[in-house]
Amino acid sequence: MDFLHPEERLSREEIESLQLIRLRKVIEEAKKSPFYSRKLKGIEPEDIKELSEVSKLPFTTKEDLREYYPLGFLTRPVSEMVRLHASSGTTGAPTAILYTENDLNTWAELMARCLYMVGVRKEDVFQNMSGYGLFTGGLGIHYGAERLKCLTIPAGAGNSKRQIKLLQDFKVSVVHIIPSYALHLSTVFAELGIDPRSLNLRIFLIGAEPHTEEARKRIEEIYGVKAYNSYGLSEMNGPGVAFECVYQEGMHLWEDAYLAEILNPTTLEPVAEGEVGELVMTTLTREGMPLIRYRTKDLTRFLPGRCLCGREHRRIDRITGRADDMIILKGVNIYPMQIEKVLMARKEVGQNYVIELYKEGHLDQMRIKVEIKDEYFVEDMRVLKQLQQSIAKSLREEILITPRVELVEHNSLPKSQGKAVRVIDLRDK
Ligand code: ADP
Ligand code: ZN
């Protein structure tokens, strides 16, 4: 196995002792910021004698980031900062993350590590179809690819025809793309009569939004590539926090850079081994804006056992969704990804769907609009009705209630420029 960094080869023991040293250092550094100088009052680095004592430290939340916006988390003068990013604002007012030159360097190295791990090399041509600007998926991954000395194309989001032309003209082999856009782009290929498999594509990095194994399989099949799951969030720099290796069994979370805990979101106690909970992380190497026990709201679990690749950085499972993505309907808890799993496994279903919540009288109801591939969108109403019922039935098996299913023509549902909006809530609040 080929490694880019010596840190990838660390044993569990080595990882944990490095984490303890770094955690103590972070406490000391963080205290230089207005937020943590208050929050960590009375806590000294020496108070943490073993890693489990991280539980003595307070949590940091998105609300804290908003309250101390814009500069209240900085450990040094703003003149030492060289870049600013912001979260996409999927769940409310945006927050800003600032980076020193060293921070950008560490981040780019982490990103390069991820790309190298799945086989990206200097000879590859890399096209980044993620939005640039404040969103970290643009520049974040860009600098990782440049570090590996790949020819790097900052294509940005959207403009599908131009994307395809670039892919063809420069024989692009590696692409970073949001999974919902990868599915949509395949319909543009079809319209142009170009088979994506006839291009030079080899590797896709997909992430930034929840998606299912079924969606990944579709993407791999359509494009003839290996698609690797990429996880990150702007509060933890951006992409490069956790990434799948070639075995595609969970994402290695880079524990030399992040201390991760998985906690029960209600009790905030660690979950039992292998159980799903909220991922909470502490930055271990960021100097300008360290964050301690940041509550990501993302739900996942640590996968048990060792990975065949030899890396001992623990793996996290595919993110089920954010804690606040959960839909409660008729007393049943439903995650949008359960619905996607059913839809993407069906050959008749096209590349887009949307879940609508609405009220009928006093009752909450769910309607799922599903794009159907042209070849299955037939004139015969009886055939369509059967298809609709059969989809509703498979959904029922997964989510335990029968949703209303509406079949719509391919490419008729609204597309978002960035992360897909899967749930539309039409109930009055
Ligand atoms: P925002 O929180 O406003 O969307 P970010 O752009 O920082 O801002 O997005 C980070 C979030 O995106 C993560 O907290 C997670 O919910 C989601 N995300 C990122 N990568 C993945 C992935 N591979 N799988 C599932 N969700 C992901
Ligand atoms: Zn591995």
Side-chain angles (χ1 to χ4, degrees), residues 87-90 135 208-210 229-230 232-234 298 319 322 419:
S87 84
S88 338
T90 313
F135 178 54
E209 66 182 7
N229 195 355
S230 155
L233 61 162
S234 42
D298 289 328
I319 309 285
R322 303 187 202 228
K419 306 183 185 215

Side-chain angles (χ1 to χ4, degrees), residues 198-217:
S198 68
L199 275 62
N200 198 38
L201 299 169
R202 201 162 79 76
I203 294 173
F204 270 30
L205 323 170
I206 55 172
E209 66 182 7
H211 57 284
T212 53
E213 187 59 40
E214 286 70 18
R216 183 237 293 272
K217 289 213 181 88

Side-chain angles (χ1 to χ4, degrees), residues 120 123-129 150-155 162-177 185 189 196-205 223-225:
V120 179
E123 296 68 31
D124 279 299
V125 179
F126 172 73
Q127 184 162 327
N128 192 0
M129 298 195 191
C150 298
L151 168 59
T152 304
I153 311 177
R162 192 178 65 184
Q163 299 278 10
I164 293 174
K165 183 152 171 42
L166 286 167
L167 291 177
Q168 288 179 311
D169 294 350
F170 293 94
K171 299 199 165 31
V172 171
S173 51
V174 183
V175 164
H176 173 232
I177 187 165
L185 190 66
F189 268 104
R197 301 182 72 108
S198 68
L199 275 62
N200 198 38
L201 299 169
R202 201 162 79 76
I203 294 173
F204 270 30
L205 323 170
Y223 291 94
V225 296

Side-chain angles (χ1 to χ4, degrees), residues 117 245-247 252 307-311 315:
M117 174 165 71
C245 68
V246 291
Y247 292 97
H252 288 285
C307 186
L308 289 170
C309 77
R311 292 177 182 82
R315 291 164 302 160

Side-chain angles (χ1 to χ4, degrees), residues 354 356 358 367-372 377 388 391 403-409 413:
V354 66
E356 287 180 354
Y358 63 101
R367 174 166 54 218
I368 304 176
K369 294 186 173 162
V370 184
E371 285 188 3
I372 295 299
F377 209 83
Q388 179 204 26
I391 293 176
R404 229 177 98 182
V405 172
E406 257 176 47
L407 307 184
V408 302
E409 258 179 283
L413 293 174

